[in-house]
mmCIF file of all heavy atoms in Angstrom:
data_model
loop_
_atom_site.group_PDB
_atom_site.id
_atom_site.type_symbol
_atom_site.label_atom_id
_atom_site.label_comp_id
_atom_site.label_asym_id
_atom_site.label_seq_id
_atom_site.Cartn_x
_atom_site.Cartn_y
_atom_site.Cartn_z
ATOM 1 N N ALA A 1388 1.260 -17.190 -13.395
ATOM 2 C CA ALA A 1388 1.932 -17.146 -12.095
ATOM 3 C C ALA A 1388 2.016 -15.749 -11.704
ATOM 4 O O ALA A 1388 1.801 -14.770 -12.348
ATOM 5 C CB ALA A 1388 3.458 -17.558 -12.311
ATOM 6 N N ALA A 1389 2.112 -15.552 -10.307
ATOM 7 C CA ALA A 1389 2.467 -14.337 -9.649
ATOM 8 C C ALA A 1389 3.810 -14.467 -9.008
ATOM 9 O O ALA A 1389 4.005 -15.320 -8.217
ATOM 10 C CB ALA A 1389 1.443 -13.931 -8.505
ATOM 11 N N LEU A 1390 4.742 -13.585 -9.522
ATOM 12 C CA LEU A 1390 6.123 -13.754 -9.013
ATOM 13 C C LEU A 1390 6.348 -12.526 -8.019
ATOM 14 O O LEU A 1390 6.032 -11.485 -8.342
ATOM 15 C CB LEU A 1390 7.122 -13.610 -10.136
ATOM 16 C CG LEU A 1390 7.003 -14.573 -11.310
ATOM 17 C CD1 LEU A 1390 8.055 -14.367 -12.291
ATOM 18 C CD2 LEU A 1390 7.020 -15.997 -10.848
ATOM 19 N N VAL A 1391 6.903 -12.933 -6.925
ATOM 20 C CA VAL A 1391 7.213 -11.932 -5.862
ATOM 21 C C VAL A 1391 8.617 -11.862 -5.561
ATOM 22 O O VAL A 1391 9.190 -12.827 -5.205
ATOM 23 C CB VAL A 1391 6.335 -11.884 -4.707
ATOM 24 C CG1 VAL A 1391 6.461 -13.350 -3.884
ATOM 25 C CG2 VAL A 1391 6.665 -10.815 -3.659
ATOM 26 N N LEU A 1392 9.231 -10.672 -5.695
ATOM 27 C CA LEU A 1392 10.662 -10.581 -5.453
ATOM 28 C C LEU A 1392 10.923 -10.313 -4.011
ATOM 29 O O LEU A 1392 10.185 -9.344 -3.468
ATOM 30 C CB LEU A 1392 11.247 -9.247 -6.153
ATOM 31 C CG LEU A 1392 11.773 -9.422 -7.658
ATOM 32 C CD1 LEU A 1392 12.303 -8.093 -8.065
ATOM 33 C CD2 LEU A 1392 12.730 -10.516 -7.794
ATOM 34 N N GLN A 1393 11.684 -11.051 -3.385
ATOM 35 C CA GLN A 1393 11.858 -10.945 -1.868
ATOM 36 C C GLN A 1393 13.130 -10.468 -1.509
ATOM 37 O O GLN A 1393 14.211 -11.091 -1.864
ATOM 38 C CB GLN A 1393 11.639 -12.280 -1.223
ATOM 39 C CG GLN A 1393 10.165 -12.817 -1.420
ATOM 40 C CD GLN A 1393 9.943 -14.214 -1.176
ATOM 41 O OE1 GLN A 1393 10.785 -15.135 -1.581
ATOM 42 N NE2 GLN A 1393 8.755 -14.647 -0.697
ATOM 43 N N VAL A 1394 13.298 -9.379 -0.971
ATOM 44 C CA VAL A 1394 14.563 -8.749 -0.542
ATOM 45 C C VAL A 1394 14.456 -8.354 0.922
ATOM 46 O O VAL A 1394 13.432 -7.829 1.337
ATOM 47 C CB VAL A 1394 14.942 -7.492 -1.336
ATOM 48 C CG1 VAL A 1394 16.288 -6.968 -0.911
ATOM 49 C CG2 VAL A 1394 14.974 -7.745 -2.765
ATOM 50 N N ASP A 1395 15.419 -8.796 1.618
ATOM 51 C CA ASP A 1395 15.655 -8.356 3.051
ATOM 52 C C ASP A 1395 15.398 -6.879 3.279
ATOM 53 O O ASP A 1395 15.909 -6.097 2.705
ATOM 54 C CB ASP A 1395 16.964 -8.844 3.501
ATOM 55 C CG ASP A 1395 17.292 -8.540 4.887
ATOM 56 O OD1 ASP A 1395 16.759 -9.047 5.781
ATOM 57 O OD2 ASP A 1395 18.092 -7.546 5.036
ATOM 58 N N GLN A 1396 14.638 -6.646 4.345
ATOM 59 C CA GLN A 1396 14.247 -5.063 4.672
ATOM 60 C C GLN A 1396 15.471 -4.294 4.848
ATOM 61 O O GLN A 1396 15.530 -3.222 4.345
ATOM 62 C CB GLN A 1396 13.441 -5.214 6.025
ATOM 63 C CG GLN A 1396 13.224 -3.932 6.657
ATOM 64 C CD GLN A 1396 11.816 -3.390 6.398
ATOM 65 O OE1 GLN A 1396 11.065 -4.158 5.659
ATOM 66 N NE2 GLN A 1396 11.455 -2.142 6.862
ATOM 67 N N GLU A 1397 16.547 -4.897 5.569
ATOM 68 C CA GLU A 1397 17.842 -4.047 5.849
ATOM 69 C C GLU A 1397 18.369 -3.711 4.518
ATOM 70 O O GLU A 1397 18.893 -2.571 4.272
ATOM 71 C CB GLU A 1397 18.737 -4.773 6.544
ATOM 72 C CG GLU A 1397 18.624 -4.483 8.106
ATOM 73 C CD GLU A 1397 18.694 -3.059 8.471
ATOM 74 O OE1 GLU A 1397 19.754 -2.353 7.982
ATOM 75 O OE2 GLU A 1397 17.821 -2.466 9.094
ATOM 76 N N GLU A 1398 18.445 -4.702 3.511
ATOM 77 C CA GLU A 1398 19.169 -4.446 2.220
ATOM 78 C C GLU A 1398 18.420 -3.416 1.451
ATOM 79 O O GLU A 1398 18.882 -2.496 0.763
ATOM 80 C CB GLU A 1398 19.245 -5.841 1.466
ATOM 81 C CG GLU A 1398 20.104 -5.728 0.258
ATOM 82 C CD GLU A 1398 20.369 -7.086 -0.376
ATOM 83 O OE1 GLU A 1398 20.334 -8.111 0.235
ATOM 84 O OE2 GLU A 1398 20.558 -7.014 -1.594
ATOM 85 N N LEU A 1399 17.008 -3.495 1.518
ATOM 86 C CA LEU A 1399 16.259 -2.489 0.813
ATOM 87 C C LEU A 1399 16.418 -1.026 1.348
ATOM 88 O O LEU A 1399 16.572 -0.133 0.639
ATOM 89 C CB LEU A 1399 14.724 -2.912 0.976
ATOM 90 C CG LEU A 1399 14.095 -4.047 0.067
ATOM 91 C CD1 LEU A 1399 12.749 -4.205 0.555
ATOM 92 C CD2 LEU A 1399 14.354 -3.695 -1.431
#
Side-chain angles (χ1 to χ4, degrees):
L1390 305 183
V1391 57
L1392 277 182
Q1393 294 162 324
V1394 182
D1395 175 69
Q1396 170 103 3
E1397 263 312 301
E1398 193 173 333
L1399 285 176

